[in-house]
Amino acid sequence: MSNFLQYVPMGACAARRWAVGSTVLAITTGIVFGISGCGSNLRPTVTPITGTGPNSQPPSNAFVISTPSSSTAGSAAAGIGTVINYAGDTVMATAAIGPNPATFTLNAGGNTAWTVNGDGTVSNIPVSTQLQAKNITYSTLNPIPLSGTAGDPKGLDPVIGLFGGALGLYALDVLNNQVDVLTGSPDAFKLTVPVDETPVTMVGVANATRYYSISQMIPYLTPVTLDGKSVDGGVACNIDAHAVGVTGVADGIETSTYTVSSHIPLGVCPVYAVGTPDAKRVFVMNRGSDTVSVINSQNNDLDACTCPPTGCVNQNGQTYTCHPSLPLTPASGKAHAGPVYAEYNQSTAQLVVANYEGNTISIIDVSLDEYGNDSSTFGTTYTVPVGNNPASVTVLADGTRAYVANQSDSSVTVVNMSSHTVETTLPVTGHPRTVVSTQNSLYGKVYAAATDSPYVTIIRTDQDIISTTVLVQGNTLDIRTTSPDTSSGNLNIVSRQPGAGQPCNLPLSAYTAAGVTPSISNCQTQDATLLTQ
């Protein structure tokens, strides 16, 4: 067959079709002629192929409150909120959040934060990478009393704690011994709930039907006599918790009626509490008793039971016991444990407690059986020595490791939760008071914040090395992560203001070096050069 070129008309649309009459020619020349078409001719459908890459980073952020100038609590330093993105360890947004913040907390959704400010207001902060000062609103509480006011001679702000419940914000007032309830958007005062003397913290799952207000029963704003000396009542549990001798009380508050349904006895100097996500147990850290009080939230009472001589038996015929209190152990050579903080890990059903005076953490089995009774291993405790004055602890969501902020050592200790041993200790900037974490399927990050430093230290958990430090505007006040695992809600919904047994912003050695005794005011000082009596 001879080679030829042919023109073929195609209805209303003409096209040239070039055909090669010799297959030999097409092969030898390497030319391929295509056939073009238009009009109603069939066109091939192209389906794009989406490339596969690494897993996306978790939608989790760290939120920091800082004060741009180191000062005592009475000064007028502006507060700054900073959003740090997990994926890039970068500052995504900053905004002024109110004058001289004293403490803050974050709600269960991780999208709203609140601070108590030096002018008596509460800032309502929408936490996101689009944070702007214009979107921050302010709520008003009772005016701060003037100096010389009965019950508050120094004119200090009596609101010392915030709790972010599902239905609103709860503010702890130690002058009037009440919990102020704020609801709405922005949060506005709704009502007060009278509670026992000196409420210092609250506990409960955000959507629980009952919260607990924890009272120390020690005058906060007036002096008390301790070890033969007159000290501020608000720091008696910081100076010598074991000499206080007054036991605390947990008041059960029904969220449907805002009424107190129980008064549960606790140990000496209760300073912090944490609950299980299923709302079946609450654990209260008693700094002055070296114990953890266990509340059975289902019974609205201590986790106690009266069993026959053969023991209590569940529906499956298994015996169980009850534990109204769990003892804590200090490191060798230390007289007391002094618990100040704890986290509950849902993956392992363990409570991990930071023992500030004992230089240890306690890893405690608090698992339940299928009927909500204490399991046969409930109360099994492993004590792990860490650094000096562990002020807080965080546990990775998968329960593999705990990270401990050693305030006096300027370090973070990494503890293996399976072997109950120390894996490594990492130096950090400043004296860390708070450590928090978030984790995805590949690795997590731990954030350590020191109240005498403007740097947040970030630790990568796949290698347990310091990844970077992030500079914020002024010394950090506190830090939270929006989620522990990018899918669960934030469980850390209560503030930790210095004082009332919670560690001061500076380590104990700073007060000794300055020759001063801790007071309500200087406990909040963030610069050792400004320590005064």
Side-chain angles (χ1 to χ4, degrees), residues 290-304:
D290 298 329
T291 60
V292 176
S293 292
V294 183
I295 297 174
N296 185 325
S297 309
Q298 302 168 106
N299 300 331
N300 199 18
D301 204 347
L302 286 176
D303 184 32

Side-chain angles (χ1 to χ4, degrees), residues 436-516:
V436 293
S437 62
T438 188
Q439 184 181 35
N440 71 357
S441 60
L442 297 177
Y443 63 91
K445 289 184 180 178
V446 172
Y447 303 83
T451 47
D452 59 348
S453 170
Y455 290 94
V456 175
T457 302
I458 302 177
I459 300 169
R460 277 187 58 142
T461 63
D462 56 335
Q463 302 176 61
D464 282 334
I465 59 173
I466 294 176
S467 172
T468 188
T469 56
V470 174
L471 177 66
V472 297
Q473 298 182 43
N475 289 353
T476 63
L477 182 70
D478 213 343
I479 186 170
R480 298 287 188 273
T481 52
T482 55
S483 171
D485 58 6
T486 75
S487 60
S488 302
N490 168 48
L491 296 176
N492 194 351
I493 57 177
V494 68
S495 62
R496 291 180 67 219
Q497 180 164 315
Q502 278 298 324
C504 295
N505 279 332
L506 296 172
L508 296 174
S509 57
Y511 295 87
T512 302
V516 300

